[in-house]
Amino acid sequence: LYRARLRKAFDTAYGEGTRSARPGRHSLVIVLDHPEPFRNPARIVRSADAFGARAVYLVGTEFFDPLPSAGLMRSVPVRRFARVRDVYDELLREGYALFGLDAGVKLGTPSVLHSLELPEKSAFFIGNERRGLSFSGSDFERVTPVVIPQYGVAPCLTSAMAATVAMYEYARQHGRANDSTLGRSVELSRS
């Protein structure tokens, strides 16, 4: 019953978003690879709005709880895909550089996120909260493995936190943030 209510709420929000959502100001795509349907996907939609991502792609999951997105599915385009291969092929055709946040190192030896010069057209694959990415480096050779350095005892960040850090780093390199408290745009620090 709970899942049915979530599915109905998602379908309503998804339908509204299909009619009203517009790509963000940046050529940044976040790909959610088989996420759990609770909390994190909607939180990632919130961060995608905050950092001006073009879209959030949802792979292998039919719905998620839209409540934590606070209605932002009406602003951020969310697209559904059945398979990672479909997203991979489409993004490559569109000229995107592909990155996989890979704490489990399924893709190979990773680069540290803040050491990369991210191209304007960047897409980040974010894995499932428990299983990580659903593919290995040999499956999709054009996905560059990336890690976020961590210094505590937790083995990894949540998918929402990792996606948010990646979006911030992209925006730091490519964008301007709207500082509403000052009522003007300010350039993000490059240090």
Side-chain angles (χ1 to χ4, degrees), residues 8-20 66 69 71 73-74:
K8 184 175 180 180
F10 175 85
D11 288 343
T12 300
Y14 185 80
E16 290 172 1
T18 302
R19 291 186 296 280
S20 65
S69 73
M73 285 180 64
R74 285 185 229 116

Side-chain angles (χ1 to χ4, degrees), residues 28 33 62-63 75-77 86 97 110 112 123 133 153 165 181 183 188:
L28 170 65
D33 179 9
E62 289 292 314
F63 69 96
S75 301
V76 177
D86 299 332
V112 176
L133 295 168
V153 296
V165 169
T181 61
L188 291 169

Side-chain angles (χ1 to χ4, degrees), residues 171-182:
R172 186 185 70 78
Q173 292 184 27
H174 292 284
R176 296 178 66 80
N178 181 13
D179 183 341
S180 59
T181 61
L182 298 176

Side-chain angles (χ1 to χ4, degrees), residues 148-159:
I148 297 168
Q150 298 171 65
Y151 307 100
V153 296
C156 62
L157 298 171
T158 68
S159 61

Side-chain angles (χ1 to χ4, degrees), residues 4-164:
R5 276 189 268 144
L6 284 184
R7 176 62 189 254
K8 184 175 180 180
F10 175 85
D11 288 343
T12 300
Y14 185 80
E16 290 172 1
T18 302
R19 291 186 296 280
S20 65
R22 299 289 175 258
R25 66 188 296 170
H26 294 118
S27 296
L28 170 65
V29 173
I30 301 300
V31 181
L32 305 183
D33 179 9
H34 295 83
E36 299 292 327
F38 310 102
R39 294 183 190 90
N40 285 325
R43 289 178 177 144
I44 292 168
V45 168
R46 285 182 74 129
S47 292
D49 175 70
F51 291 107
R54 185 184 101 180
V56 173
Y57 292 178
L58 184 63
V59 181
T61 301
E62 289 292 314
F63 69 96
F64 59 80
D65 179 1
L67 187 61
S69 73
L72 291 170
M73 285 180 64
R74 285 185 229 116
S75 301
V76 177
V78 175
R79 292 184 55 200
R80 292 188 279 196
F81 292 83
R83 302 174 323 139
V84 172
R85 170 62 66 189
D86 299 332
V87 173
Y88 178 82
D89 291 342
E90 180 174 313
L91 289 169
L92 287 178
R93 273 193 308 278
E94 292 178 9
Y96 273 80
L98 309 178
F99 300 94
L101 286 174
D102 189 23
V105 194
K106 286 184 180 179
L107 301 179
T109 304
S111 297
V112 176
L113 176 64
H114 66 266
S115 71
L116 293 172
E117 190 169 318
L118 299 170
E120 185 74 26
K121 287 182 130 183
S122 291
F124 285 95
F125 286 79
I126 311 295
N128 177 284
E129 291 81 349
R130 286 183 257 191
R131 296 179 299 280
L133 295 168
S134 68
F135 56 91
S136 68
S138 61
D139 297 329
F140 299 102
E141 293 176 354
R142 302 270 304 270
V143 177
T144 300
V146 177
V147 294
I148 297 168
Q150 298 171 65
Y151 307 100
V153 296
C156 62
L157 298 171
T158 68
S159 61
M161 293 170 83
T164 299

